[in-house]
Amino acid sequence: MSWTRWRRAAALVAAAAMAATTVACTSEGQAEPAATGSGGGGEPLTLTIGARVDNNSFDTADLEIGNRIQYWQPVYDTLVRLDADSKPQPNLATEWEYSEDGTVLTLQLRDDVTFTDGAPFDAEAVKANIEHIKAGSGQNQFMVAGIDEVVVVSPTEVELRLSEPVPSLVTYLGWVGGAMASPKALSSGDLATNPVGSGPYVYDAANSQAGTEYRYERNEDYWNAEAFPYDTYVVRPLNDVTPTLNALKTGQIDAALLTPAVADEAKASGITVETRAVAWAGLLIGDREGKKVKELADPRVRQAINLALDRGPMVEFILNGYGEPTTQVFNTSSEAYVESLDAAYPYDPAKAKQLMDQANVDGFTITMPQWDSPWNDLFPVLADQLAEIGVTVEYKQVPPDQAISSVLSGDYPVAFFPLASASAWQDLQTWVTPKAPWNMQGASDPELSKLITAAQNAPQGEQEAAFQAVNQWLVDEAWFAPLFRPDQVFGVGKGTQVQMQAQNAVPSLWLYGPAE
């Protein structure tokens, strides 16, 4: 087939953006120039960020990751800090250690931290915060759901007791699971709009306007001030890439998430473009047991589907070159990642047809959801390539705001979707295990379950290899048909530098600094 007819210059967004809500924004004419100083002569420094979505809440039970870390990280310190590779580093917790069976995590805490309302940070505060998040119903409540009991050993030591090992727990403590609010604020009744933490900044509610601009001023008593060079931090929600790019060009904001479609224009205007892949996009073969389409129960058929997909040109023409082809679902910083599995299924329609013949499959039809989105030009490509091996794709149009619910419904044997990839354990609970929401029909396999259990209970030094064994099985059995890892495209204005962060749509606050 000719790839030139599929070429386009349009935005492709990662999974977090696909699920984002529409937000009110500040128009270009309303925004004031960002007051970024040079740092010389004691000039105050301001960092102004353009955010893809508006804030949802400051209540720690309802905090979200992805784009929304930009609103709560200034106020709330976390128990551990995640570096650019999302590896846990000491923060409020200076040390941590698992028990031999992996069911008790003991944290040693700093003894010199105070919340901005004067309350001390200590083990009792950790207990209160984890219990508050666990009692909530926010989408990240799962990060502490495996903690059965929080035991205060001393003011600077706390035990997190688990019913079974949770391999990603320390990482969760660097996200929402470890966000620490003042114990007084937890019961104040207005935490959603009036955050009180021990973080590097204090929310300036008087000079903020929800939906338009959120301002934060330096916490003068912060214990790690040198890690945050800015005196003022500002977040402006912007709901469209065009005003976002214009605000970057004119210096009204210092950094923001962009899209591949405008990356070259941004570069031409002097904006630095940073990229990092944090998601994968491809086919979710939900009907692995053949309940709706019996042919999909045969792994040879699923392997044939993988071999029928020409991933390289998809990256070139659909992603405008901003991404990487892959045949595995785990990101490059995951414990489960295996480099060789990125090319496990090279484009080979002839071999795909041989596998279909071996499976005694003469052809079949699958119904997939389709919705108006930046992925519009990909849908006919998938149909054309699968048709070459005898798989007929019939699309059912669904409203864009029902795309996620349609895929999750389990009504479709196969569906295309982009999904963010985090730690190996979190990903398995999200896509693979029988109760995982993105394992829409609850498919299971005894050998896979055995491999997952082995990874869950493996000693620290052996866990990476155990997760990689799970990945190898998933690729061999073709539980998915991944296409590519689309890049997050992040624009940075003059005077600012940033490191992109693995496993999140946008960088954490401590990864920004003035350009040298």
Side-chain angles (χ1 to χ4, degrees), residues 232-248:
T232 302
Y233 175 68
V234 180
V235 188
R236 291 179 177 148
L238 300 166
N239 71 340
D240 187 81
V241 69
T242 299
T244 301
L245 179 58
N246 289 337
L248 272 171

Side-chain angles (χ1 to χ4, degrees), residues 227-290:
F228 298 90
Y230 297 98
D231 300 283
T232 302
Y233 175 68
V234 180
V235 188
R236 291 179 177 148
L238 300 166
N239 71 340
D240 187 81
V241 69
T242 299
T244 301
L245 179 58
N246 289 337
L248 272 171
K249 288 179 177 179
T250 56
Q252 296 173 74
I253 59 176
D254 298 308
L257 186 65
L258 300 176
T259 65
V262 301
D264 292 342
E265 180 184 350
K267 290 178 181 178
S269 65
I271 295 167
T272 299
V273 171
E274 303 285 356
T275 62
R276 188 156 191 172
V278 300
W280 68 278
L283 298 181
L284 298 166
I285 306 176
D287 192 20
R288 301 163 183 125
E289 296 175 343

